[in-house]
Amino acid sequence: MRIREVGVRAACCLGAAVTAAALAGTPAVAVPATDGSSTSAPAPGAPPTPGNTTPPTGGPSATTTPPFTTPNTDNCPQKTQPPAPVDTSEVPAPGDPTPSPLPVPSPAIGGQRMGDCGVVLPDGAPPVPAEISATSWMVSDLDTGRVLAAKDPHGRYRPASTIKVALAIVALRSLDLDEVVIGTQADADVDGTRVGIGPGGRYTNRQLMQALIMCSGNDAAHAIAAQLGGDKRAVAKMNDVAKTLRALDTRAATPSGLDGPGMSTSAYDLSVLFREAMSIPLFAELLHTEQVDFPGYPADPRIPGDKDHPGFLIANDNQLLYNYPGAIGGKTGFTDDARQTFVAAAERDGHRLVVTLLKADVRPIRPWEQAARLLDYGFALDTDARIGKLPESGSDAVQPSVPLASPPPRADGTQAEPERPAHQGARVATLIGAPLLVVVLLLWARRAFRRGR
């Protein structure tokens, strides 16, 4: 092979490799999980995150996967309560009563068509995307409250971790974000996804909110609920918020979204709760944050030879944020009973839409991809399309002028700079440097070729 050919190929291969690496949009700390969400992988040397394991992927299965079909809800199967649970997580504790189904408002909140249970579209609208596995979903306008399209909007399903939106509303309006909270063993022992809070660790409420919203940490939810008076009082406050907002299909049973007796929400209600939360600037900021540093915790004196656990990076588990142009952010959820749940927002051409998914699956595409399809559908509808309306009650702070996904204003009224991910500067520098490197190598190859002739 000629020297020139070697130089050209080396330059092209190296430049392509460097550029491809720079274009990788998802930070290395976001580890996709098999349930369609993602887990936050601590930095090397950081404590493992219990409950966030990803099973190994096996080879091709010998069984035949049945064809996918979107569940039919035309006959209103979940009009009064969610589907039957698949485990015992919703069995009341001994001595506690079984919660009765929530009353069904009549007429339906949001307008007459919000009482329909099948697919509800504006007159003349095209068919919805075919790859939606969510049993219930809705697309609405974040600013005007117009409902653009829906399927079983008031059908009742379990929220999983999307109910953390309600906990965030309560906490962000109640707690001192600079107050330092000491982690407990009870925080570390909670079930489900944990960010990695350890006993004796020192965490500000702001850091706990980062863990709650970005990583869906149930340990963070436990620590936040403890400051609100414990799980029962925190849940009561979350339910009070839902009632105030006329989200009357919603009943929280746990602060974290783990299944519990009577747990319920709807695609309509989840849109209402998310819209309210988006009136809080810090909520919008944290939804849009890709990664931040999270504190470690000291050695446990009860464990021989235990050492201090250093801090580590935590990453946003919402893949829509990394992969959808204009994504504002969102919240993921999963339990065995709820299946996949999701709420997110995006902006395009000055319009901001919210999409909610309940009882979805990872087939035929992942929940964030289903949300992307529905957002594309909503953005393509006529600007005056409408099948219903979100309630006007509750906070009136959601205005088109509110800066979303950005830090709250400083005391002097100026806007703080958004917290940039650690990898963003390196990515930009690499994108600029890679083409220059290719040019330099090509020039070197040309000179080498001339000397070799």
Side-chain angles (χ1 to χ4, degrees):
M1 183 179 294
R2 295 178 179 177
I3 295 176
R4 182 181 183 182
E5 292 174 344
V6 173
V8 171
R9 292 192 181 186
C12 293
C13 290
L14 180 57
V18 173
T19 305
L23 289 173
T26 304
V29 290
V31 181
T34 53
D35 63 8
S37 64
S38 68
T39 63
S40 301
T49 306
N52 274 356
T53 56
T54 303
T57 302
S61 173
T63 60
T64 302
T65 302
F68 168 78
T69 57
T70 301
N72 187 301
T73 55
D74 291 348
N75 294 326
C76 305
Q78 311 321 140
K79 187 177 183 66
T80 61
Q81 59 187 1
V86 299
D87 54 30
T88 60
S89 60
E90 298 190 25
V91 176
D96 289 349
T98 300
S100 301
L102 294 168
V104 178
S106 182
I109 294 175
Q112 180 180 357
R113 300 195 69 189
M114 292 294 92
D116 294 347
C117 300
V119 176
V120 189
L121 302 176
D123 293 340
V128 297
E131 297 177 314
I132 310 302
S133 69
T135 306
S136 174
W137 55 263
M138 196 170 92
V139 180
S140 59
D141 190 295
L142 176 62
D143 298 308
T144 67
R146 289 182 300 117
V147 179
L148 308 183
K151 180 175 183 289
D152 200 12
H154 277 296
R156 292 173 176 177
Y157 302 86
R158 296 173 184 85
S161 283
T162 59
I163 202 64
K164 289 184 173 84
V165 172
L167 178 62
I169 294 172
V170 174
L172 288 171
R173 291 178 173 162
S174 304
L175 302 180
D176 178 356
L177 296 178
D178 294 323
E179 182 177 350
V180 175
V181 177
I182 306 301
T184 67
Q185 190 63 51
D187 297 332
D189 289 343
V190 296
D191 291 334
T193 301
R194 287 167 274 180
V195 69
I197 292 175
R202 297 174 60 84
Y203 312 92
T204 65
N205 278 321
R206 181 183 297 270
Q207 289 167 330
L208 293 179
M209 295 305 303
Q210 291 169 340
L212 180 83
I213 295 172
M214 294 172 57
C215 303
S216 202
N218 291 351
D219 46 359
H222 185 273
I224 291 168
Q227 297 179 77
L228 297 172
D231 283 5
K232 288 187 177 181
R233 291 190 64 181
V235 165
K237 293 177 180 180
M238 293 162 66
N239 288 331
D240 286 344
V241 165
K243 290 177 183 177
T244 300
L245 297 174
R246 300 186 70 204
L248 302 184
D249 303 314
T250 297
R251 177 167 54 197
T254 63
S256 65
L258 290 173
D259 296 321
M263 182 80 89
S264 173
T265 195
S266 65
Y268 183 93
D269 282 13
L270 191 52
S271 302
V272 172
L273 291 168
F274 188 82
R275 187 184 188 216
E276 178 71 9
M278 285 296 291
S279 70
I280 306 173
L282 183 57
F283 181 86
E285 174 193 346
L286 296 181
L287 279 185
H288 198 69
T289 302
E290 290 187 12
Q291 63 184 39
V292 294
D293 291 318
F294 196 74
Y297 56 94
D300 189 339
R302 300 169 299 177
I303 302 176
D306 193 28
K307 298 180 180 180
D308 288 347
H309 302 261
F312 50 94
L313 284 175
I314 60 174
N316 200 309
D317 65 2
N318 175 17
Q319 292 300 311
L320 188 79
L321 180 63
Y322 307 116
N323 295 289
Y324 190 82
I328 293 170
K331 185 74 201 70
T332 61
F334 175 82
T335 67
D336 289 339
D337 281 338
R339 305 307 299 166
Q340 305 286 339
T341 63
F342 194 71
V343 57
E347 181 173 5
R348 183 181 299 173
D349 298 330
H351 297 284
R352 302 185 298 191
L353 300 186
V354 178
V355 59
T356 55
L357 308 174
L358 292 173
K359 204 175 188 296
D361 211 328
V362 296
R363 295 185 304 122
I365 55 178
R366 290 186 173 275
W368 73 263
E369 295 173 300
Q370 298 179 42
R373 301 287 197 280
L374 290 172
L375 285 168
D376 285 343
Y377 180 84
F379 283 124
L381 292 173
D382 292 340
T383 55
D384 59 350
R386 170 175 171 166
I387 60 171
K389 187 79 166 61
L390 298 181
E392 295 295 341
S393 61
S395 172
D396 58 359
V398 177
Q399 301 290 341
S401 60
V402 173
L404 298 182
S406 59
R410 299 188 183 98
D412 61 3
T414 61
Q415 192 70 26
E417 284 295 321
E419 183 171 2
R420 299 187 183 277
H423 64 276
Q424 182 173 347
R427 185 190 305 168
V428 173
T430 307
L431 284 171
I432 295 173
L436 293 176
L437 178 60
V438 172
V439 172
V440 170
L441 290 173
L442 286 173
L443 290 173
W444 172 84
R446 182 181 178 185
R447 292 181 62 187
F449 170 69
R450 287 177 174 176
R451 288 197 300 266
R453 293 183 64 179

